[in-house]
Amino acid sequence: MAKTILLVDDSVTMLMSVKNNLEINGFKVETAEDGLKAMEKLNAGLKPDLIITDINMPKMGGIELIKKARALPGFRFMPILTLTTEAAQGKRDEGKAAGATGWLVKPVSGADLLKIIKQVLPGA
Amino acid sequence: MTAKSKKTALQNGTGRILFVSAGLMLVLMGGAVFFSPYLDSQLGNYKEVLFLGLAMVITCGSHWFLLETMQSPQTLSHTERVHATNEKLRYILNNITRQVESTLDNKGTSTGVINIVTDKLAVTLIECAEVLAERTAHLNATLQTGSNETLEMARETLLPLIDETADAITKYLNVGENVDAQLRERISKAQHLLLELRGALAEFAQQKPADSSAELSACIEQTGAMFDVHLKIDDFVNQQLEVVSNDTNESAIALVLHMRNLSDNAENLVRYINAAITKISAMDGGVNESVEFIVRIGHFIQEIPAKISADIHSIQGASGVIDGLSHLVDSIKEISFQTDILAVNASIQAAHAGDAGLGFKIVADEVRKLAVNSNQAAEMIETGLSEARKTIQDGLKFKFLDEVMQQMSEAARVMDVVQELENSHEDARQYYRTLFTVINQNNTKLAADIAEVLGSIQYQDIVRQRIERMQSATQRRNQLLLQFMEELERTNGHLADDFAEQMNIVLNDYIEQESYHGNSLNSDADNNQPPKFELF
């Protein structure tokens, strides 16, 4: 069965490019434009196998989303990757403390993204 | 700016001189009217000369004063100086603000246009890549079915799509280049103008009156410092624009290279499909011929039992007729035998009768001869019938063998044809296996290229964010400039806040923000940057 990935980014370009790449490679992809919409989907019962989120977004940023998602039942060990232009170590530490599984700096090639997803999603 | 200040002072001085000279002329004219009878009696015709002379003196005097005023330095009061300074500063800052606002504005000017256009084009590109991926997947599925018509359709849909994608990329590149060139030209013009204004300010600061107040000097110095930071911000913005330009350029080159690979792989795919269609048609022709032949042979074999059955019926019929004739021969023989016995008995009775039976004896002998002849004829018929039966049976036997031989020959050919068919089938299987392998390899490459294209498009988002940071910094700077102008006007030059320091904060914040984003294409070369991918 295809693994489900929740993709969160305020850029339509990013959402489209990453979504298409993942779908071509057999993943089912759900998208959200910001952290708030992502939380709405998670609260509505969406249980993805992986969350990939941007950091700087309107309404609710990636760090807050990670914190809130980790607090939900069943999301404690779910892999959450950040995909952002932020590269500073301080921000990474903040993400790690919030519960992120990994930190990816944009742009990420299709092959690299799949390689990392396979590392955090065994059997994908 | 200095010229404008001078002009105002001149206007004031000239007005005063003209006012005084006009007053003197009026006094002269009044005096001329009032003392006219007395002067007529005293001076006579010299009166006009006198008035003309006085009028000329007044005119020349006023001109002389006017010339003096224009050539001599203006001595302005403290309030006038502050007013003039503020006016000059306002003029400079108005120019800066107008230029800055027209250069970096979020509503429809360069940066906004970049974001809108690149975003739209990136979306088009992604859509093309998505459809391309979908159709190649469809092509792969189609190849599994191996139908010629669907292959043709797949080829026909694939080619225009490649052209559409290539067009989208070309548009992306063209628009990107145009927008980048326009933006850089605007920035360059703005910097040029700012440098000119900075020069004017420096000149103004040098020309400031020696007795100017400390507030005025501080104000000018702060304005100069703000200019310096302003120019530094512009320099930094320009550096970022160069990074943006390089990134978009590198990204575009990467896109073009990926699309070139994509196009090559798609063309290979189409070539393989064309070759497959030709070869499959040829194989179809061969298989059809073989099948037709086998069907023909099948029909022939199906008819053989019926033919054999008919032949057997014919043989059985002929044998029955011959057997019937044999019974007739037996009957003739029986009649002949009984006739012979009858003739013998008649001869015996004729002998008993003596001479009276001589005639009867002759008849009996003749009858006996007839019986013997009949018997001989019957035997001859029997021999003939036996020969006829034998001939028919032999004839049928040979005919049947011929047919069997022919049948065996055809059967042997059927085996050859079946072997050919099997060989063709094996060829076709091998061919399809190779074709699928090659097409799968091409599809894998296509999928990888599409993924890389989609990865390269992510630079649109990075560029957008870099431009947004530029916009944020320049908006803060412009807001600070406006505050500075308002404060200048409100306090009449007595500035309380350190605006130059605040401008520095804007610059430092901007530089710090940029340092958090190490996402330039060349950032990999920087060893101080944290890794691009990190799993905690």
Side-chain angles (χ1 to χ4, degrees):
Chain A
M1 191 179 166
K3 302 267 185 187
T4 305
I5 297 175
L6 174 61
L7 187 63
V8 191
D9 203 304
D10 60 326
S11 160
V12 179
T13 313
M14 278 302 296
L15 282 182
M16 285 181 76
S17 66
V18 179
K19 182 174 186 271
N20 286 340
N21 186 25
L22 294 175
E23 283 181 344
I24 288 167
N25 288 284
F27 292 99
K28 185 169 179 270
V29 182
E30 289 284 334
T31 58
E33 293 81 10
D34 54 57
L36 205 61
K37 291 212 170 118
M39 278 309 296
E40 280 173 10
K41 287 198 170 187
L42 295 180
N43 286 323
L46 177 67
K47 187 79 190 290
D49 298 290
L50 167 69
I51 297 175
I52 301 175
T53 178
D54 189 13
I55 290 297
N56 299 314
M57 291 180 289
K59 295 179 186 171
M60 186 192 288
I63 301 286
E64 195 182 345
L65 169 65
I66 296 169
K67 283 179 187 169
K68 285 189 185 292
R70 285 284 181 230
L72 292 173
F75 283 74
R76 194 174 166 194
F77 300 108
M78 176 184 292
I80 303 178
L81 295 173
T82 61
L83 181 55
T84 174
T85 58
E86 295 271 4
Q89 192 57 50
K91 209 73 177 175
R92 285 173 195 245
D93 293 341
E94 209 180 321
K96 190 178 173 182
T101 313
W103 195 273
L104 316 181
V105 179
K106 292 176 189 175
V108 181
S109 74
D112 284 339
L113 184 61
L114 289 175
K115 202 164 68 182
I116 292 157
I117 288 175
K118 280 179 183 169
Q119 282 183 45
V120 297
L121 269 184
Chain B
M1 176 66 202
T2 313
K4 191 180 177 185
S5 175
K6 280 180 182 173
K7 191 180 169 187
T8 312
L10 277 173
Q11 278 173 349
N12 293 338
T14 312
R16 278 197 294 270
I17 291 164
L18 287 174
F19 181 75
V20 170
S21 61
L24 285 173
M25 289 294 277
L26 280 172
V27 169
L28 185 65
M29 287 166 69
V33 171
F34 187 77
F35 296 108
S36 181
Y38 174 73
L39 290 172
D40 277 344
S41 63
Q42 291 295 320
L43 297 173
N45 290 336
Y46 293 106
K47 183 188 74 174
E48 284 81 10
V49 176
L50 177 67
F51 280 108
L52 196 61
L54 284 171
M56 281 185 70
V57 167
I58 292 168
T59 308
C60 289
S62 65
H63 275 79
W64 180 78
F65 273 113
L66 198 60
L67 287 169
E68 280 294 304
T69 306
M70 288 174 74
Q71 284 170 4
S72 65
Q74 293 299 306
T75 54
L76 301 172
S77 69
H78 175 71
T79 314
E80 283 173 334
R81 280 202 307 275
V82 171
H83 181 73
T85 307
N86 287 350
E87 199 180 331
K88 288 175 185 178
L89 284 173
R90 196 175 294 114
Y91 176 75
I92 290 170
L93 291 170
N94 272 333
N95 263 326
I96 294 168
T97 310
R98 198 165 49 249
Q99 188 59 34
V100 164
E101 280 178 350
S102 71
T103 306
L104 292 168
D105 186 356
N106 199 19
K107 293 172 185 172
T109 50
S110 304
T111 49
V113 170
I114 281 186
N115 271 346
I116 292 163
V117 173
T118 55
D119 196 53
K120 195 175 167 187
L121 288 168
V123 168
T124 311
L125 265 179
I126 291 167
E127 283 171 354
C128 282
E130 186 184 4
V131 179
L132 194 63
E134 189 188 318
R135 291 199 189 166
T136 46
H138 173 67
L139 180 68
N140 209 8
T142 303
L143 285 169
Q144 300 291 334
T145 63
S147 156
N148 281 7
E149 285 174 12
T150 45
L151 276 177
E152 290 274 9
M153 280 170 66
R155 183 186 58 171
E156 281 169 13
T157 55
L158 194 62
L159 285 174
L161 189 70
I162 291 167
D163 292 340
E164 278 173 31
T165 314
D167 282 350
I169 285 181
T170 311
K171 280 180 192 165
Y172 181 85
L173 296 180
N174 289 341
V175 173
E177 277 176 14
N178 287 341
V179 169
D180 182 54
Q182 281 175 16
L183 189 64
R184 289 168 72 76
E185 192 185 339
R186 281 187 181 212
I187 290 285
S188 174
K189 276 183 185 171
Q191 274 200 319
H192 185 67
L193 182 66
L194 286 172
L195 282 169
E196 277 183 3
L197 290 168
R198 179 70 182 96
L201 189 69
E203 190 189 337
F204 169 65
Q206 279 178 355
Q207 286 176 356
K208 73 179 189 280
D211 61 342
S212 64
S213 64
E215 290 87 358
L216 184 61
S217 300
C219 176
I220 292 169
E221 276 173 22
Q222 197 172 158
T223 311
M226 281 190 73
F227 253 113
D228 289 338
V229 183
H230 189 292
L231 288 168
K232 278 182 191 168
I233 290 173
D234 271 3
D235 275 342
F236 195 68
V237 165
N238 216 8
Q239 283 172 25
Q240 295 308 308
L241 276 174
E242 275 180 28
V243 174
V244 165
S245 178
N246 287 336
D247 278 358
T248 50
N249 202 30
E250 294 282 332
S251 169
I253 289 167
L255 269 174
V256 169
L257 289 175
H258 291 317
M259 281 311 295
R260 179 65 187 267
N261 288 337
L262 202 66
S263 179
D264 288 348
N265 285 327
E267 277 177 19
N268 280 340
L269 204 58
V270 171
R271 201 165 54 243
Y272 282 122
I273 291 169
N274 284 339
I277 289 167
T278 311
K279 190 145 187 176
I280 287 165
S281 298
M283 282 194 291
D284 275 354
V287 169
N288 284 339
E289 279 178 18
S290 300
V291 168
E292 276 175 19
F293 182 76
I294 288 171
V295 167
R296 216 165 53 237
I297 295 297
H299 286 156
F300 175 74
I301 290 168
Q302 275 179 340
E303 286 169 5
I304 284 176
K307 281 185 181 176
I308 290 171
S309 180
D311 287 344
I312 288 168
H313 277 299
S314 299
I315 290 165
Q316 284 173 346
S319 292
V321 172
I322 289 167
D323 287 344
L325 288 172
S326 296
H327 289 306
L328 285 174
V329 169
D330 289 343
S331 300
I332 292 167
K333 275 185 175 177
E334 186 64 32
I335 292 165
S336 173
F337 178 69
Q338 286 177 356
T339 308
D340 189 32
I341 290 171
L342 186 65
V344 169
N345 287 334
S347 293
I348 293 167
Q349 292 299 326
H352 285 301
D355 290 340
L358 282 174
F360 191 68
K361 185 179 180 285
I362 292 165
V363 172
D365 287 343
E366 288 300 320
V367 169
R368 195 176 175 195
K369 281 181 190 173
L370 183 64
V372 169
N373 287 339
S374 298
N375 192 38
Q376 284 175 344
E379 281 180 355
M380 282 175 71
I381 290 167
E382 188 178 19
T383 306
L385 286 173
S386 295
E387 283 178 359
R389 186 188 289 123
K390 191 171 178 295
T391 304
I392 288 167
Q393 282 179 346
D394 286 350
L396 283 172
K397 189 165 74 182
F398 287 132
K399 187 183 174 190
F400 183 70
L401 280 174
D402 279 349
E403 284 180 349
V404 168
M405 286 304 288
Q406 191 182 349
Q407 185 185 340
M408 289 301 288
S409 168
E410 295 287 348
R413 213 177 142 209
V414 167
M415 289 305 289
D416 289 342
V417 171
V418 168
Q419 186 62 47
E420 279 174 22
L421 203 59
E422 195 178 336
N423 290 343
S424 298
H425 183 239
E426 184 57 30
D427 282 351
R429 276 201 309 173
Q430 283 287 348
Y431 181 74
Y432 271 116
R433 202 173 294 132
T434 312
L435 186 67
F436 284 142
T437 307
V438 171
I439 286 170
N440 275 337
Q441 283 172 353
N442 271 280
N443 266 352
T444 308
K445 283 183 192 168
L446 273 177
D449 283 332
I450 290 168
E452 292 305 318
V453 166
L454 293 173
S456 296
I457 292 169
Q458 291 175 22
Y459 267 102
Q460 194 275 333
D461 184 45
I462 294 164
V463 167
R464 178 183 64 84
Q465 291 192 29
R466 202 181 287 278
I467 290 170
E468 279 173 2
R469 289 193 292 276
M470 276 182 215
Q471 284 174 335
S472 169
T474 51
Q475 275 168 5
R476 279 182 67 191
R477 178 193 64 185
N478 294 351
Q479 205 170 6
L480 199 59
L481 279 172
L482 289 171
Q483 272 180 15
F484 177 68
M485 282 175 60
E486 283 167 11
E487 194 69 8
L488 199 65
E489 198 162 7
R490 192 177 65 79
T491 61
N492 212 12
H494 297 79
L495 295 169
D497 294 334
D498 190 349
F499 283 93
E501 182 53 31
Q502 289 181 45
M503 194 73 115
N504 254 325
I505 292 169
V506 171
L507 175 62
N508 291 334
D509 284 353
Y510 180 34
I511 292 170
E512 194 182 345
Q513 278 288 319
E514 281 299 335
S515 73
Y516 294 154
H517 300 84
N519 42 39
S520 167
L521 275 171
N522 300 320
S523 60
D524 286 344
D526 188 354
N527 292 328
N528 295 325
Q529 287 280 348
K532 282 190 79 177
F533 314 133
E534 186 181 5
L535 291 179
F536 302 131

